[in-house]
Amino acid sequence: MADIILGIESSCDDTSAAVLKDGWLLSNVLASQDVHKCYGGVIPELASRAHQQNIVPVVSEAVKRAGISLGDISAIAFTRGPGLLGSLLVGTSFAKGLAIALDCPLVEVNHLQGHVLANFVKQYDKENRVPSFPYLCLLVSGGNSQIVKVNSPLEFEILGHTIDDAVGEAFDKCSKMLGLGYPGGPVIDRLAKLGDPERFRFNKPHIPGLDYSFSGIKTSLLYFVRDEMQKDPEFMEKNKEDICASFQKTLIDILMDKLVKAARQTGISEITIGGGVSANSGLRARIEEEGRRRGWNTYLPEFKFTTDNAAMIAVAGWFHYLNGERCPLDVAPLSRIAD
């Protein structure tokens, strides 16, 4: 009998549902929320209200596209955390109610583990290259920057993490303060393609070990632009492509320096990336370039699996389900998860 997993993701501002059959993706539906753009960031209360509006039609559409009935579902995998508590509460509550109605088990999933395992989402019309264990994952999202050693689908070891801002926050905060728009990652990436990455130089942090820091580079950029605009009020507008290109290159250099160090220390040559920032074209190109230079086997998730999506939650839940893991109906969402 096939294992059919319904995945539900609602950790931030995207409502998503996906259906997996024995690890193969049957459907993946996502509803985004444009309401936050005018505020320059996600408003938690507005996000949770939008999830309430979206979750029923999104799940219904995922089931319809998968060509299954609700009675075929073996288990429901849902994001327990980390994320916005109100948003997580919507997904968790819906998953509980559906599990009771269908008399099927619940499987909780750590959102970050979903990103780490995104490359294991199998599609019928794709090559489906997957990394061998152990592998290193550069996990880069809006609120997290980590280097994770993945020993098995359920065994993770964090080798390094940010001690302050994450790289996604550096993109978003700087873009907002420079008047470029939100979300900052795609805006800066687009402008960077038109600029000279060697035009400007920004100071890089010197953090021991494999940990990251991005608050300093963010401050360095903002002070640099402020000082230059005091001399020429049109400096930003005249040079925004070169500023974005140089800033993005510096962030990528910081990420890659530690990843190269981690690969050297562990002797691991299986390398993946995950999280929203893994959609950045400059980072993706740099990962592949370093892979060719250093003999790595590199694995990049498809763009649709880099953002918050239920396919990655479903595949992570499938691994937990196969391991016999279930969670009780009184489970509560968590905005932060220690491990």
Side-chain angles (χ1 to χ4, degrees), residues 78 167 203 321:
F78 68 98
V167 65
N203 294 328
Y321 177 79

Side-chain angles (χ1 to χ4, degrees), residues 81-104:
L84 301 176
L85 194 56
S87 296
L88 292 167
L89 186 60
V90 174
T92 302
S93 300
F94 182 88
K96 288 181 182 181
L98 188 57
I100 292 172
L102 299 179
D103 192 25
C104 69

Side-chain angles (χ1 to χ4, degrees), residues 16-17 39 50 82 141 146 178 183 185 192 217 225 237 245 248 270 332 335 337:
S16 184
Y39 297 99
S141 66
Q146 300 176 347
L178 294 175
I217 175 62
V225 172
E237 185 60 31
Q248 178 167 287
E270 298 281 299
S335 60
I337 297 180

Side-chain angles (χ1 to χ4, degrees), residues 256 283-293 298 300:
M256 293 306 302
L283 178 58
R284 293 172 76 91
R286 182 70 174 277
I287 287 276
E288 292 186 319
E289 176 188 345
E290 292 289 348
R292 288 189 292 269
R293 288 180 54 206
T298 57
L300 308 181

Side-chain angles (χ1 to χ4, degrees), residues 261-314:
K261 185 176 181 180
R264 187 181 302 120
Q265 288 182 358
T266 61
I268 295 174
S269 59
E270 298 281 299
I271 308 295
T272 75
I273 56 175
V277 182
S278 67
N280 181 276
S281 63
L283 178 58
R284 293 172 76 91
R286 182 70 174 277
I287 287 276
E288 292 186 319
E289 176 188 345
E290 292 289 348
R292 288 189 292 269
R293 288 180 54 206
R294 302 178 184 279
W296 294 347
N297 296 317
T298 57
Y299 306 84
L300 308 181
E302 281 193 52
F303 286 105
K304 63 184 177 181
F305 300 138
T306 59
T307 57
D308 295 344
N309 65 92
M312 68 181 191
I313 300 303

Side-chain angles (χ1 to χ4, degrees), residues 227-241:
D227 293 344
E228 293 298 325
M229 289 187 68
Q230 289 178 348
K231 305 172 191 175
D232 178 5
E234 298 182 358
F235 174 80
M236 180 64 197
E237 185 60 31
K238 293 177 181 177
N239 299 280
K240 61 183 178 182
E241 290 88 359

